[in-house]
Amino acid sequence: MIVKTGDADRFAAKPPANLRAALFYGPDQGLVHERAEKMAKSIVDDLTDPFRVVDFDESVLASDGGKLFDETAAISMLGGRRVIRIRTGANALAKLFESFLDDAVGDALVVVEGGDLAKNASLRKIFEDADNAAAIACYGDTAQNLSGVVRDALKAEGLTISAEALDDAVSRLGSDRGVTRRELEKLALYAHGQKSVGIEDVRAVMGDEAEVRVEEVCDAAGEGDLKRLDLALERVWGEDIS
C-alpha cells in the first residue's frame, strides 16, 4: 500500500496490526531514519533488546536471504512481537521481499530504511503493491512543517519560542530532519533554564543548514566516499545551492 505524506507520521506511530513490512524511502534520510525508528518503537520500546530486535545490513541478506525468513519466524524468549530492521540503498533486496511478502511467516514487523528510490524502482513497487506492506515517502520539510517541528521539539523541553525567533530558526533549517533535530537540541540546551527562546538565542547557536550541506559535500569528496558524495551533491543541487 502507499501511505500518503500527510498520514506518514500517524501511520509510523501506530501501524495496522496486519502490517508485515514497511519501507521508508526518500531524499530526506534523516526523516527516513526518524520515521522508521518511530514505527519500530511502536512495537518494541527498547530497540537495543537483543531478544526482540534484529538489525541487518543489505549485504548480509543479499548473500543469504534465508536469514530474513528465519528471523521473522523466530519467537522471542521473553514474549512480545519482534522487529527486524534493515538498511538498504536501492533494489538489491527486491526479489527477496517479493518472495517474503507473498508468504510471510511469523508475526515480526520488518522495518526497512531505503534510499531515494525512483518511482519505477522495483523495491518501492513491491511494497506499494502488497496488501501486507507499506511504502512511506520521506520528503524534505516545508516551512510550514518546520514550524511545527521546531515548536514541538522546544515544547518537549518546556520552552516556547517567539514568532520572530521561530521564523529565523525555520530559515536556517532545510531538507534533512536529522540535522534539524541536532540543531534544535543545541538550541534547547542553550536556552535551558529559560521559559522562552528569543531570536538572540537562535542566532547564537543555530547554523545555516545550507552551509552544513556544502560542508558535507567537501567532507565526502575529501574522504573519497563516492556514495556519500553523490547523495550530498543531490541534496545541494536540489536546494539550488552553489
Side-chain angles (χ1 to χ4, degrees):
M1 74 182 80
I2 299 174
V3 177
K4 295 180 180 179
T5 302
D7 297 329
D9 287 318
R10 289 190 295 273
F11 189 91
K14 193 174 182 179
N18 66 336
L19 188 74
R20 299 307 316 281
L23 169 66
F24 295 88
Y25 69 93
D28 188 339
Q29 289 297 293
L31 187 55
V32 165
H33 180 71
E34 181 174 304
R35 285 176 172 165
E37 190 161 281
K38 180 183 292 185
M39 178 173 283
K41 285 185 175 180
S42 75
I43 306 299
V44 182
D45 289 335
D46 181 8
L47 297 184
T48 64
D49 185 341
F51 297 107
R52 296 183 62 192
V53 180
V54 176
D55 283 90
F56 280 127
D57 286 327
E58 177 184 286
S59 58
V60 174
L61 294 181
S63 61
D64 185 2
K67 289 182 180 294
L68 176 62
F69 291 85
D70 292 342
E71 290 294 345
T72 55
I75 299 174
S76 171
M77 292 176 60
L78 303 178
R81 193 179 183 190
R82 301 173 74 241
V83 172
I84 313 300
R85 304 183 69 187
I86 301 169
R87 293 166 180 81
T88 178
N91 297 308
L93 303 181
K95 291 288 187 182
L96 173 62
F97 275 107
E98 184 176 29
S99 175
F100 170 73
L101 293 172
D102 280 343
D103 185 26
V105 295
D107 69 344
L109 176 63
V110 181
V111 180
V112 184
E113 295 181 35
D116 188 9
L117 302 174
K119 188 173 183 179
N120 61 349
S122 54
L123 181 64
R124 175 176 166 180
K125 184 169 177 55
I126 287 166
F127 276 79
E128 290 176 345
D129 293 344
D131 293 332
N132 57 350
I136 302 100
C138 300
Y139 299 112
D141 289 307
T142 63
Q144 183 177 3
N145 290 342
L146 277 172
S147 294
V149 171
V150 173
R151 281 194 298 263
D152 290 345
L154 294 178
K155 183 179 179 181
E157 299 296 329
L159 294 164
T160 60
I161 184 169
S162 70
E164 184 183 27
L166 178 61
D167 288 343
D168 193 65
V170 167
S171 73
R172 295 169 182 269
L173 300 172
S175 59
D176 189 284
R177 182 67 70 85
V179 174
T180 294
R181 291 294 184 194
R182 290 193 293 273
E183 288 296 308
L184 293 176
E185 287 170 4
K186 287 195 303 181
L187 181 59
L189 182 61
Y190 182 81
H192 181 70
Q194 302 175 192
K195 292 183 178 180
S196 181
V197 173
I199 192 167
E200 297 82 4
D201 302 316
V202 172
R203 291 175 176 173
V205 296
M206 289 186 68
D208 186 330
E209 193 178 327
E211 295 178 2
V212 173
R213 292 197 294 276
V214 171
E215 288 178 6
E216 174 71 4
V217 170
C218 296
D219 289 344
E223 294 173 13
D225 188 337
L226 298 183
K227 185 175 181 180
R228 179 180 164 201
L229 175 61
D230 186 55
L231 180 59
L233 283 171
E234 184 177 344
R235 289 176 176 170
V236 167
W237 289 331
E239 295 293 319
D240 291 327
I241 298 170
S242 172

